Amino acid sequence: MARQLRFLFCAVGAIVGIWVLAVAGHWYLESLKMTADKVRAYMESVDFAHLTAQARANVIKELEDKLNALPYDERQRLRLQHLIDTWFNEMTEDEKSQFVEATMPTGIKQMIDAFQQLPDEKRRRLIDNTLNNLRNANNRPVRGWQNSTNAPPGGTNAPVISPELEAKIRNLGLKTFYSQSSAETKAEVAPVLEELQQQMENGRVILRQQ
């Protein structure tokens, strides 16, 4: 009986130990994940407007790395908070161009090439779906701002992009529009490009590799 009890206690101890290790491992991996809240905390800790040139370059590079580590849903949530706009508006033209190119998701240019090869009706439906999805996202309350007095407004019907840019995308074609756009314009349409990429990937449209 004593041996059986020792065996039982050892088995229970081993199970508990494995469970504790699994939970600790899960917490550790979760702590390594980049989130919109971590990016927001980083940006709020930096007085970007008063940095020297080298310090600006360093913090912009760190912000680029953090943004590129975000999954799509967290990037979308961060955009709805409009925190990036504050730094972006303070950047020089060269900094803006570098920042936009560095933070565009991998495969955007391949996606644009693939998009241009689709039939006109397919392109139109994809753009319509993309803008509708973004409008729906904009109308949802932003998670993490429930108790903030600086929370961005939710439930608005503001356009995802300006009507002028939407018309240019439809009339010029996405590839021509993107190649002719400034850094500011690319930043404005970045949510549209990312959502369009998601739509195409979910629809199993094969993106050609360069």
Side-chain angles (χ1 to χ4, degrees):
M1 180 63 70
R3 286 196 299 271
Q4 290 176 340
L5 287 175
R6 283 198 297 272
F7 174 79
L8 179 61
F9 289 146
C10 288
V12 171
I15 293 172
V16 171
I18 292 172
W19 181 82
V20 169
L21 288 175
V23 171
H26 175 74
W27 284 347
Y28 175 71
L29 292 176
E30 286 296 317
S31 71
L32 296 179
K33 289 182 179 179
M34 187 55 58
T35 66
D37 290 336
K38 290 180 181 179
V39 176
R40 182 175 65 181
Y42 170 71
M43 294 185 68
E44 290 176 346
S45 71
V46 176
D47 187 3
F48 181 76
H50 296 92
L51 296 178
T52 61
Q54 185 56 53
R56 285 168 67 93
N58 292 339
V59 298
I60 290 174
K61 179 62 169 62
E62 185 164 353
L63 178 60
E64 290 170 355
D65 292 341
K66 291 180 184 298
L67 291 177
N68 290 334
L70 289 173
Y72 174 73
D73 59 334
E74 289 293 295
R75 284 172 71 98
Q76 186 183 60
R77 187 161 75 90
L78 187 66
R79 274 210 181 89
L80 293 176
Q81 297 173 10
H82 298 289
L83 285 177
I84 303 298
D85 297 350
T86 304
W87 280 27
F88 190 79
N89 292 334
E90 295 284 344
M91 293 181 190
T92 65
E93 292 303 314
D94 288 342
E95 287 171 341
K96 288 178 180 178
S97 296
Q98 165 62 27
F99 180 78
V100 169
E101 291 300 319
T103 54
M104 279 291 179
T106 303
I108 281 290
K109 292 181 180 178
Q110 292 94 325
M111 178 277 291
I112 291 174
D113 287 340
F115 177 83
Q116 290 304 123
Q117 296 179 22
L118 297 174
D120 290 345
E121 179 61 21
K122 179 71 170 179
R123 291 203 301 268
R124 185 187 65 78
R125 287 202 306 269
L126 278 170
I127 290 178
D128 289 344
N129 289 340
T130 293
L131 295 177
N132 285 335
N133 285 351
L134 290 174
R135 289 189 191 101
N136 291 336
N138 287 347
N139 290 336
R140 289 194 295 268
V142 180
R143 181 164 53 89
W145 288 86
Q146 289 85 347
N147 299 319
S148 173
T149 57
N150 297 317
T156 68
N157 291 315
V160 175
I161 55 175
S162 68
E164 293 78 13
L165 288 185
E166 182 179 341
K168 286 183 178 180
I169 290 174
R170 293 182 184 275
N171 296 331
L172 290 178
L174 192 57
K175 187 171 185 178
T176 301
F177 170 81
Y178 187 83
S179 66
Q180 296 178 356
S181 295
S182 65
E184 289 88 348
T185 299
K186 288 179 180 178
E188 182 177 346
V189 301
V192 176
L193 296 177
E194 290 189 44
E195 176 61 26
L196 183 58
Q197 185 179 35
Q198 291 288 313
Q199 289 283 317
M200 293 181 70
E201 290 177 351
N202 291 340
R204 294 180 173 82
V205 176
I206 299 175
L207 305 185
R208 297 189 311 164
Q209 298 298 318
Q210 291 181 338

